[in-house]
Amino acid sequence: MLIVQKFGGSSLADPVRLRRVAGICAEARKRGNQLVAVVSAAGDSTDALLETAHKIHPHPPLRELDALMATGEQRSAALMAIMLESLGHAARSFSGWQAGIHTDTRHGEAAILRIEPRRLLETLAEGKIAVVAGFQGVSPREDVTTLGRGGSDTTAVALAAALEAERCEIYTDVDGIYTADPRLLPDARLLREIDYRDMLRLARAGSQVLHPGSVRLAMDTGLPVHLLSSFRAGEGSLVRALSEAERPALVGVTRDEARSTVTVVGRAADSGLREELSRQLEQCGIPVRGSSEEEGCVTLTVAPAQLLPALELCHRAVIG
Ligand code: ASP
Ligand code: MG
């Protein structure tokens, strides 16, 4: 069985964590699977690279920013392969271009056009783990491109689809998708399963567990995506196509700090819910500055200082 596992930046932030993540890969190998591991840049290192570039130049050329940002994931990939080798598992690291990830030319937000995974397939056939630097590819001009912030998820899903993997597992610092960010609302509940459409709306509205582009791709290819914790064993959450009977009426609540919005997601999120939540917020002294609805989600804008109380109230109102 071929599995793609993706590890987020906080799971790779130091050698101790790297060792733990390598243990997860080793487990999958021991069960006899072929394995492609996709890695993000460690911790906040992408932000640090951007900061350095902006110290040198107020508007760094986008081509060079991509060349710079791609190094974060390349570093993680090489370190991960070294860690795996140190544990006795044969592994090879690949940058995006080496992995055959071809994109368009839009620096900083490139789209994957096709994948030519010849080297990955050779590596797997030799019984080795292929470790791929996420978030990057190569343009038709043979320049390094990046896929947009959070884009390593997209690399993982795209590779899983191209390689016809059995599973795509995404490991992060939370153990799945919750009805709200559990770091903000301790009452939030883990969702064992979530439909692609609801996950996509949560991702677009600010939930950072999965990149929206990766959800879209998984939905289009019908690839189930399993969200798991790098730090704790658990069942996680499965993102897949649910039937209307399986799909809850209201799924969860998320916020977008930059836009100062709270969004409620679920097939029952409609104009009636928008009016009801606006009324309840106003009643609790939280003025609603604007609101909108789309199929399956209602968005309310409040003052930045009232974002957290608004999130709490909406969560209590729709989830309980
Ligand atoms: N390192 C990149 C970012 O911070 C990509 C990723 O982590 O998925 O956006
Ligand atoms: Mg991410």
Side-chain angles (χ1 to χ4, degrees), residues 6 40-41 46 73 135 148-153:
K6 182 253 166 179
S40 286
T46 307
E73 272 71 11
F135 173 59
R149 299 304 306 270
S152 296
D153 294 339

Side-chain angles (χ1 to χ4, degrees), residues 32 45 75 88 144 159 169 172 250 268:
S45 61
R75 182 174 177 277
V144 172
L159 278 177
E169 300 175 343
T172 68
L250 292 168

